[in-house]
Amino acid sequence: MTNSPRSVSDRTSSVGAFGLLSEPARRWVERQGWTSLRDVQERAIPAILAGGDVVVSARTAAGKTEAAFLPLLTKVEGDAAGFRIVCVSPLKALINDQANRLEGLAEACGHPLHRWHGDVSASAKRRARENPSGVVLITPESLEAILLRQGVHARPLFAGLQAVVVDELHAFIGTERGIHLQSLLTRVEAIAGRDRIDRIGLSATLGDMALAADCLRPGDGPSVRLVEGRDAGNVVKVQIRGYVRPTRVPEDAIASSRHAPGASPREDGSDPAFEAVVSDLGRILRGRTNLLFAGSRRNVEAYADALTTACGSAGVPNEFFAHHGNLSRAHREEVETRLRDDPRPSTAVATTTLELGIDIGDVAAVAQIGPGSSVSSLRQRLGRSGRRPGTSAELRIFVIEDEDGPAAHPIDRLKLGLIQSMATVDCMLGGWCEPPPAAGLHLSTLVHQTLALIVQTGGISAKAAWAILCGRGPFRSVDRVRYAALLRCMHEARSPLVEQAPGGQLMLGPGGERLASGHDFYAVFVTPEEYRVVHGGQTLGTLPLDRITLPGQTMIFVGRRWRVLEVDADARVILVEPTSAAMPPRFDGSAGPLHDHVVAEMRRILSGGDVPTYLDQTARSMLEGARHAYRELGLEAASVVEVGTGVVLVPWVGTRKLDTLAAALVAMQHKPAARRHFVEVDGCDTVRIRRTLARIAGGDHPSDAALASAVPSPAIAKYDGWLSPDLMRAVVISERLETASLRETASRVLASGTDHEPGDTPHRAGTET
DNA sequence: GACCTGCTGCGGTCTG
C-alpha cells in the first residue's frame, strides 16, 4: 500500500464497493493513501453488508482484516451498551498486531477498540466490562473466562452484539480448540437471546472452502457465503536436495578409529550428512532474510547452533536465530522484530511457530529439513516468501537418507523421507491440500463445556444443557442417550464432577468444583509442566518436566551452549551458565497423521518413471535407487515383504487406516507395530498373515469396539480420563480409527499380491547385498 | 514418529 496522489474515490472502477462504505470509513481509506481496494475487499464488502455468515479467504497480507472491518464498522449501529463486534483470535500476539492495525479505523468510525487477553491488565478489562462498547479482540480462553466468571451478568455485554469475527479460522478447523470455539459462539448467541449472530471467518485459502464454512457454522455450512481472494500467487521455485548419511561402521571399528572421517553419525555434530546440510544451508541462506523450518525443537537447536558456530568460524556476524515454543516470548519477539525491521540479513530457524500470521514481512527464501508434516503446512510456509510483485517464492527441502548397507532395514531402501517430500510437493503444486478430519465426538471437550455451562448458569437441567451444547452447538453427533451416559460417568467419578439437585438441576460436585476453579480450566488443551531455564536472572525459556536434568550436564538452548549449575525442583527452575560443548536437549512428541492422498502419491512416484527437474543430482540417484528397491522387493505385485523374523505390510494408506489395520491384527493375536508408512508384524510369515488378511477382507474381523480396545493408551484429550471405557471406545472409533475402511485396506494388501497365493514361495527381502 | 495455542478475581501491601 503505497502513497499515491490519486485517491480511491477518483477511480470509477472502485466506486462499487467503496461507495457502499460509510463516510467515516471512506475517509479513513483515503487517508491511508490507497489507490484502490484489493480484490478480496471489493468482493467482501457487499457480501458482509448484506448480512449473514461469510468466510473471507485470501493469502496472508492480502488485506482480509480490512475486508471484514470496513463493512462491519460501516453497518454497526445503536447506542445501547454492549459490545458490537467480537473478534476471536488464536494468539495474543495476533490480537496485539490487529489492535495496532484497527485502532485508527475503529476510532475514525466512532467505536472504541478493546484488547482482551491474559496479558491485558485487569483494570483495562474491568473498564471494558463496566462500559462495554465497540469492538473487542479476544482469545477463546478469555471469552470462556468472561462467560464463567460473569455468569448471568455477561448478558448485557453481548445483548447488542451484531457480528462475530473469527480471525485465522483455518487455525481452528479440525482441532479440539476449534470445537471449544464453536461451543463458545453458540453459548454467546444463547446468552444474547438470539438465534444467530452473523459470523465472519477470515481464513487462508484451503483446498475445499466448504469445510471452512462448516467450521464457521456447524450443521449449516451451505448457508455460509464464500468470498475467495483472487490475487494471483507468485511463481514458485522448488528444489529438493538429497544427502546420503554413510553407513554406521561396526562398533570395533569406531573404537579403533573414533575420529576417522565418514565414521558413524554422532549426536555431537560429527555426522557428515548433517555437516554437509549445514554447510550448504550457510552458503545458500547467508546474506538474505529467510526461514528455516527444522521440524522439531531439538533440530531447531542443533541447526541453529551449527550455523551460528559456522558464522563464528568464518569470522562473520551471526545471522541464524532459534525460534520455537519453549523459548521465552521476549527472545521470540526479538527474532520476529529483526526479521521484519532490521536491514541486516537474518534467518529464523523455527518449528511451526512462524507458520501462523504473525507479521514478519516477506522473506527471500524458505528452507525445510525433511518432508514436513502436511501439504497445508508446506503451503503456509511457502506463503511467507515471494510476496512482493516481481519476486518468486523459493523453497528448498533438505532430505537426509541413510546409505544402503548390509545392516539396513529393507524398507529403508525405499527412501521414504525423499519420496514423501516429493509427494508433498507434487500435491501442493497440483493445488491439493488436506481436508480437516471428519467431525468426531469430542467427549472430553463436552465434559469441559458441561462443567462450564453449569458454572455460567449457576445450575441447569440436563435437557437444557443438551439443547445448547448438542442441539444447537458443535456436539451434534451426541444424542440424548449418549449425553445421559456422559453425565452418569461424570457423576460416578471417584470425586463426582456433577450432582443432581432435588429439582433436577445439574450442579457441580466436589471434583467439578476443583476442576472449574483451577487456573488451567479456561483452555481445552493440556500443557505439560515445565522447568524455567534461567541465566543471570533472565528466563531463556522452558524445558519439559520429565526430562532428567542434573547439575554439570550441558545442553544447547536458544541456539547457544549451556552448563546446568543448579536444579531447583520446588521453584521448577534450572540455573545455567554459558559453556563451549553441549548437545541439544530432547523434547517429547509424536507425529501427526499422514493423509491417504499423500501416501497414494508416494506409491505413484515409486512405481512411475519420470524424474522431476526439482531434484538435485543426489536426490535423483536416490530416487532411482528407491524405484529399483521397490521393484526388487516385489512391491509392484505384492504388499507383503518378509523381513527377519516377521513381515512388513505396505497397504499405501494414511495413518488412520494403518492404525486401524494394526488394531485389527492385535485383536486377532498378532504382534504388529504401526510405523509411519507401513505395519511391521513380528513372529509371523507370509502364509499366516495372508490368512488373517483374507479373513478381514471377507468381513470376519473383530467388532468396532474390539478394535478400539486394541488401541494402546487411548486417552489423549484433557478430560478423557473421566470417560467410561465404553465412551472412550466410542471416541477412539470416531476420532482415531477408520473401521469402515478395514476390509478394503486388507484387500489392498492381498489384491496386489495375486501372483503370490498362500503356499507360493514368498518374496524374501535379502539383508545380504 | 511433531508442533502450537491459553489463563480470574480477590485481598493484602506498598507508593505517591
Side-chain angles (χ1 to χ4, degrees):
Chain A
M1 289 170 233
T2 51
N3 285 319
S4 157
R6 291 220 304 168
S7 70
V8 178
S9 52
D10 295 334
R11 295 180 43 148
T12 43
S13 66
S14 295
V15 163
F18 181 77
L20 298 173
L21 297 176
S22 68
E23 206 191 313
R26 288 202 306 262
R27 275 204 303 268
W28 180 84
V29 169
E30 289 178 346
R31 274 204 305 280
Q32 306 313 300
W34 295 0
T35 52
S36 64
L37 292 175
R38 304 281 190 86
D39 170 65
V40 70
Q41 295 164 342
E42 280 287 338
R43 291 184 298 123
I45 288 169
I48 291 172
L49 286 174
D53 299 335
V54 181
V55 168
V56 180
S57 74
R59 52 184 308 184
T60 318
K64 290 194 285 283
T65 304
E66 291 79 8
F69 278 91
L70 282 170
L72 286 177
L73 287 167
T74 285
K75 73 174 185 174
V76 158
E77 52 195 27
D79 295 328
F83 298 122
R84 289 289 173 275
I85 302 171
V86 168
C87 175
V88 188
S89 172
L91 298 180
K92 291 185 288 191
L94 288 175
I95 288 177
N96 297 341
D97 273 3
Q98 295 277 51
N100 293 335
R101 241 173 110 179
L102 285 173
E103 220 143 38
L105 173 59
E107 195 183 329
C109 296
H111 295 285
L113 185 80
H114 310 279
R115 290 185 309 142
W116 193 308
H117 59 65
D119 296 345
V120 172
S121 72
S123 55
K125 285 185 256 194
R126 199 181 53 240
R127 279 198 302 276
R129 203 167 57 225
E130 287 168 357
N131 188 14
S133 57
V135 183
V136 59
L137 309 178
I138 194 167
T139 59
E141 289 72 20
S142 282
L143 186 52
E144 180 68 88
I146 292 180
L147 297 184
L148 281 175
R149 300 300 157 218
Q150 302 306 311
V152 290
H153 303 299
R155 186 167 194 282
L157 301 183
F158 301 111
L161 192 58
Q162 296 186 9
V164 174
V165 179
V166 180
D167 192 26
E168 307 267 349
L169 177 65
H170 57 278
F172 290 107
I173 298 177
T175 69
E176 212 62 55
R177 205 173 174 211
I179 304 292
H180 185 201
L181 174 60
Q182 291 168 344
S183 187
L184 283 167
L185 298 188
T186 313
R187 285 162 59 199
V188 166
E189 284 169 345
I191 207 173
R194 310 253 290 281
D195 252 6
R196 281 192 178 206
I197 296 172
D198 289 354
R199 298 182 187 177
I200 314 297
L202 307 182
S203 172
T205 311
L206 306 173
D208 183 355
M209 292 310 301
L211 298 157
D214 266 330
C215 178
L216 189 68
R217 184 65 71 177
D220 198 14
S223 72
V224 177
R225 267 164 313 138
L226 301 176
V227 174
E228 291 188 59
R230 279 188 297 229
D231 302 270
N234 282 338
V235 180
V236 182
K237 289 197 231 164
V238 185
Q239 186 186 37
I240 297 183
R241 304 171 63 95
Y243 296 82
V244 179
R245 173 176 286 138
T247 313
R248 180 179 285 273
V249 294
E251 287 300 317
D252 51 345
I254 294 178
S256 57
S257 65
R258 188 164 285 279
H259 301 294
S264 113
R266 299 202 323 244
E267 284 185 326
D268 65 0
S270 70
D271 166 0
F274 174 80
E275 279 162 14
V277 170
V278 167
S279 150
D280 286 354
L281 281 169
R283 185 171 47 75
I284 293 166
L285 300 178
R286 213 178 288 152
R288 298 190 295 168
T289 292
N290 315 284
L291 292 176
L292 168 57
F293 291 101
S296 66
R297 288 167 286 185
R298 179 183 166 80
N299 264 354
V300 164
E301 294 290 354
Y303 280 97
D305 171 72
L307 288 160
T308 299
T309 306
C311 286
S313 312
V316 298
N318 180 38
E319 296 177 16
F320 298 92
F321 306 96
H323 193 287
H324 62 73
N326 282 78
L327 302 183
S328 69
R329 165 86 2 227
H331 170 81
R332 286 158 63 177
E333 278 170 5
E334 209 175 291
V335 176
E336 291 154 21
T337 307
R338 171 153 177 162
L339 284 172
R340 189 182 55 232
D341 300 331
D342 199 314
R344 286 175 297 175
S346 46
T347 294
V349 188
T351 54
T352 59
T353 40
L354 290 177
E355 255 175 50
L356 261 188
I358 297 169
D359 182 18
I360 51 168
D362 185 36
V363 302
V366 172
Q368 176 176 300
I369 308 296
S373 64
S374 65
V375 179
S376 60
S377 134
L378 189 64
R379 238 159 87 150
Q380 286 279 112
R381 291 173 179 188
L382 198 53
R384 291 291 198 178
S385 162
R387 296 210 301 240
R388 292 199 191 100
T391 64
S392 47
E394 277 181 44
L395 169 71
R396 289 181 187 80
I397 301 181
F398 294 74
V399 183
I400 299 178
E401 291 280 3
D402 287 341
E403 185 183 25
D404 292 341
H409 191 290
I411 297 291
D412 287 348
R413 293 171 57 203
L414 295 174
K415 313 292 178 219
L416 294 175
L418 170 70
I419 304 301
Q420 190 185 325
S421 301
M422 292 175 64
T424 307
V425 164
D426 289 349
C427 287
M428 181 189 72
L429 295 176
W432 181 90
C433 89
E434 292 86 0
L441 286 172
H442 300 285
L443 295 185
S444 162
T445 299
L446 186 50
V447 167
H448 178 263
Q449 287 297 285
T450 300
L451 295 175
L453 199 55
I454 293 171
V455 175
Q456 177 193 320
T457 55
I460 186 171
S461 72
K463 198 176 154 193
W466 181 87
I468 292 177
L469 300 175
C470 309
R472 291 178 63 176
F475 304 96
R476 302 195 169 221
S477 44
V478 177
D479 58 18
R480 286 191 176 81
V481 175
R482 188 161 262 160
Y483 192 57
L486 181 79
L487 291 176
R488 207 155 43 240
C489 81
M490 288 174 74
H491 174 64
E492 286 165 1
R494 200 158 38 169
S495 178
L497 301 187
V498 295
E499 310 271 19
Q500 203 149 25
Q505 297 250 301
L506 295 172
M507 311 291 287
L508 289 190
E513 293 279 2
R514 204 163 42 246
L515 286 183
S517 60
H519 188 237
D520 71 344
F521 185 68
Y522 305 99
V524 295
F525 51 87
V526 237
T527 319
E529 287 197 285
E530 301 193 320
Y531 279 105
R532 268 189 319 130
V533 183
V534 175
H535 167 61
Q538 273 220 309
T539 298
L540 304 171
T542 59
L543 280 177
L545 193 63
D546 54 358
R547 168 107 176 106
I548 299 162
T549 304
L550 298 170
Q553 191 177 321
T554 57
M555 61 180 176
I556 294 176
F557 197 60
V558 208
R560 291 164 63 192
R561 299 168 179 222
W562 309 96
R563 186 204 322 279
V564 175
L565 288 176
E566 194 186 320
V567 179
D568 183 340
D570 293 329
R572 290 214 211 21
V573 165
I574 304 174
L575 290 178
V576 299
E577 64 171 5
T579 182
S580 54
M583 298 206 317
R586 280 174 209 287
F587 296 89
D588 281 338
S590 62
L594 197 54
H595 194 276
D596 290 332
H597 187 78
V598 178
V599 185
E601 180 67 14
M602 289 175 66
R603 185 180 208 187
R604 198 193 60 73
I605 291 169
L606 280 169
S607 59
D610 59 312
V611 180
T613 52
Y614 58 65
L615 297 179
D616 79 342
Q617 199 47 53
T618 310
R620 275 168 206 229
S621 57
M622 275 182 187
L623 172 61
E624 198 182 313
R627 283 175 170 161
H628 181 72
Y630 178 78
R631 289 188 300 271
E632 211 176 64
L633 290 169
L635 285 169
E636 275 175 316
S639 289
V640 182
V641 180
E642 291 201 350
V643 178
T645 57
V647 295
V648 167
L649 311 180
V650 202
W652 304 106
V653 293
T655 305
R656 284 177 61 157
K657 288 180 181 167
L658 216 50
D659 286 349
T660 308
L661 179 62
L665 294 175
V666 170
M668 295 170 86
Q669 315 307 319
H670 287 279
K671 283 182 272 180
R675 308 284 182 214
R676 193 88 178 115
H677 305 97
F678 54 91
V679 179
E680 231 170 348
V681 191
D682 198 28
C684 183
D685 61 15
T686 304
V687 175
R688 199 174 143 224
I689 201 68
R690 288 186 66 91
R691 206 177 296 139
T692 303
L693 290 168
R695 275 178 57 197
I696 296 175
D700 175 20
H701 59 74
S703 66
D704 287 2
L707 293 180
S709 303
V711 171
S713 53
I716 286 182
K718 196 171 181 182
Y719 301 100
D720 277 350
W722 277 268
L723 302 180
S724 64
D726 260 4
L727 290 174
M728 196 61 239
R729 276 193 291 271
V731 168
V732 168
I733 291 166
S734 79
E735 291 166 24
R736 306 265 302 276
L737 301 177
E738 260 185 61
T739 56
S741 73
L742 181 57
R743 289 179 64 173
E744 198 202 319
T745 306
S747 308
R748 285 174 67 101
V749 180
L750 290 170
S752 54
T754 42
D755 305 344
H756 298 266
E757 290 305 321
D760 278 13
T761 312
H763 184 86
R764 183 97 215 147
T767 47
E768 64 284 343
T769 38

